[in-house]
Every structure is written in structure tokens, then in C-alpha cells.
């Protein structure tokens, strides 16, 4: 069995990344969404090892000390991170792991697995277009939208770090383009 790959996706919030990834996962049977570790409590029906690996703060900190994380972050008073043991096991089982991370997380993952990572950036046709999408989505306040747009520009400035840049003007076209990219690197 050949070793799996790390497929790292980033996109400014509102670009349609989640929809695109959901579509790709219908086409490709060997894709698995990365399971992170976290210290936050499970919500609703979340199960250990399915949505997240739920760790105590002490266990998480021990793993940090032992350099067990590819990357980790403190978000809203909780820790979140990607365990090397999880990535290594999945890759050795031939699984291709999908990461949906910000630019910083993407670069850290690539640094840890330079030969096995493929970085894909999905970008909107324009910042103006993104603004309209965020406003139409109607889930964020205008203040949050302003913040997301500013952050989007910061992320767009780093697009050259990515192996592939895909414009999402129309979801089906973006999905087709990424499908071709994945087939070219023998993902099926
Ligand atoms: P939630 O608690 O809603 O599941 O996630 C909260 C935030 O943590 C989200 O923004 C999510 O992207 C981020 N997050 C989840 N897993 C990881 C991870 O492994 N690494 C990093 N850096 N952030 C993560």
C-alpha cells in the first residue's frame, strides 16, 4: 500500500471551502478529514476519536512538552492541535488526510511533512465579491465581516506559498479543478 498524503486547504472565511471539501469527499473514497486533539468538552453527540481526540489540559500540555504536535493553538481558552502520532498512523495506513486550516497552520504542517504535503488555496474572485458573500450569508455582524475581510487580505497576500491556487467563482468549476489536481497526484 502506498503512503497517504496531507492535503492542506486554506481559504478566507466565506470562500466556500467547506462546501468544496464536502463535494470532494463524495468523489474520493480515500480522503479522511483530519481529527485534531482539543481540551474543550465534547458538544452534543461528539465522540472521542471521531470529531476530536478529547484530552485533559494536563495531557495536552504533556504532549506539547514531548513535542508530539505538528502544530497547536490556544483558541478561546482551549487548546487545539494536530498530533504527529495521528498523522503518521493515517499516512502509514495509506489514508489521505484533509486539513482545513489557516495559513499559519498550513505552513507549519508543510514544514513538518514537506514531502507528503500538498497545499491548496481557494480564493474568491475579489474582496468585493467576498464581502457580498459574507453579507448574504447573514451570520456575522458588520464588525465581524470587516475583521474577516481584513484577515482575508492578509491570507491572500500569502497565496504564493501554496502549490495550487484555485479561484472559486462557481463551486462546480472549483470542485472540477481540484478534482483534476488530486487525480494528477494519484488520489482516488
Ligand atoms: P470548535 O471548538 O468550534 O470545534 O473549533 C474552534 C476553532 O478551533 C476553529 O476555528 C477551528 O478551526 C480551530 N481548530 C480546530 N482544530 C484545530 C487544530 O488542530 N489546530 C488549530 N490550529 N486550530 C484548530
Amino acid at each position: 500500500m502506498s503512503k497517504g498524503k496531507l492535503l492542506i486547504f486554506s481559504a478566507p472565511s466565506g470562500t466556500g471551502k467547506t462546501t468544496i471539501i464536502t463535494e470532494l469527499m463524495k468523489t474520493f473514497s480515500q480522503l479522511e478529514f483530519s481529527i485534531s486533539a482539543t481540551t474543550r468538552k465534547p458538544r452534543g453527540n461528539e465522540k472521542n476519536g471521531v470529531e476530536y481526540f478529547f484530552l485533559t489540559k494536563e495531557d495536552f500540555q504533556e504532549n506539547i512538552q514531548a513535542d508530539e504536535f505538528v502544530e497547536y493553538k490556544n483558541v478561546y481558552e482551549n487548546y487545539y492541535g494536530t498530533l504527529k502520532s495521528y498523522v503518521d498512523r493515517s499516512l502509514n495506513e495509506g489514508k489521505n488526510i484533509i486539513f482545513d486550516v489557516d495559513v499559519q497552520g498550513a505552513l507549519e504542517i508543510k514544514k513538518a511533512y514537506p514531502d507528503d504535503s500538498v497545499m491548496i488555496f481557494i480564493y474568491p474572485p475579489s474582496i468585493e465579491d467576498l464581502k457580498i458573500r459574507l453579507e448574504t450569508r447573514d451570520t456575522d455582524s458588520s464588525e465581524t465581516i470587516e475583521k474577516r475581510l481584513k484577515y482575508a487580505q492578509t491570507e491572500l497576500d500569502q497565496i504564493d506559498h501554496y502549490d495550487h491556487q484555485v479561484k472559486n467563482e462557481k463551486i462546480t468549476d472549483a470542485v472540477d479543478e481540484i478534482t483534476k489536481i488530486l487525480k494528477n497526484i494519484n488520489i482516488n
Side-chain angles (χ1 to χ4, degrees):
M1 184 176 21
S2 63
K3 206 173 162 204
K5 287 201 164 56
L6 291 84
L7 307 172
I8 311 167
F9 288 86
S10 304
S13 173
T15 308
K17 179 179 51 173
T18 309
T19 313
I20 291 173
I21 292 177
T22 306
E23 282 306 308
L24 291 169
M25 290 184 85
K26 287 184 198 160
T27 309
F28 295 92
S29 58
Q30 293 169 4
L31 297 187
E32 175 170 306
F33 207 87
S34 167
I35 305 170
S36 303
T38 183
T39 56
R40 86 151 161 75
K41 298 274 170 288
R43 288 186 200 126
N45 284 332
E46 286 181 341
K47 290 197 178 54
N48 187 42
V50 180
E51 287 83 6
Y52 283 104
F53 297 110
F54 294 100
L55 302 183
T56 62
K57 208 165 188 176
E58 291 71 32
D59 281 346
F60 203 103
Q61 284 167 337
E62 266 176 33
N63 278 300
I64 295 174
Q65 294 304 324
D67 196 23
E68 293 288 345
F69 284 103
V70 180
E71 59 84 42
Y72 71 92
K73 210 156 113 179
N74 214 312
V75 190
Y76 318 119
E77 298 179 6
N78 283 306
Y79 285 111
Y80 292 85
T82 309
L83 282 163
K84 285 180 188 168
S85 56
Y86 162 74
V87 174
D88 292 338
R89 190 175 60 240
S90 301
L91 294 182
N92 288 330
E93 285 171 1
K95 289 178 183 158
N96 300 299
I97 320 167
I98 292 209
F99 292 86
D100 174 354
V101 288
D102 62 10
V103 174
Q104 195 195 333
L107 293 174
E108 284 171 26
I109 296 167
K110 172 92 177 181
K111 197 169 156 202
Y113 295 90
D115 300 332
D116 304 310
S117 296
V118 179
M119 294 172 78
I120 301 174
F121 194 96
I122 304 167
Y123 65 96
S126 67
I127 288 281
E128 187 51 35
D129 181 274
L130 186 61
K131 186 166 183 246
I132 294 166
R133 287 195 208 190
L134 288 171
E135 285 169 352
T136 329
R137 193 162 80 168
D138 206 19
T139 50
D140 302 307
S141 65
S142 54
E143 201 184 22
T144 306
I145 291 179
E146 276 314 309
K147 266 194 214 151
R148 288 193 193 276
L149 289 174
K150 253 196 199 140
Y151 191 57
Q153 189 55 60
T154 313
E155 295 213 298
L156 282 165
D157 291 343
Q158 305 195 61
I159 196 167
D160 288 345
H161 291 297
Y162 285 72
D163 303 304
H164 303 277
Q165 293 91 8
V166 177
K167 177 154 75 171
N168 182 20
E169 186 132 35
K170 201 167 148 224
I171 290 274
T172 46
D173 290 347
V175 170
D176 285 350
E177 192 175 338
I178 298 172
T179 298
K180 274 191 203 129
I181 292 169
L182 298 187
K183 287 196 169 152
N184 265 336
I185 52 169
N186 296 324
I187 308 264
N188 43 52

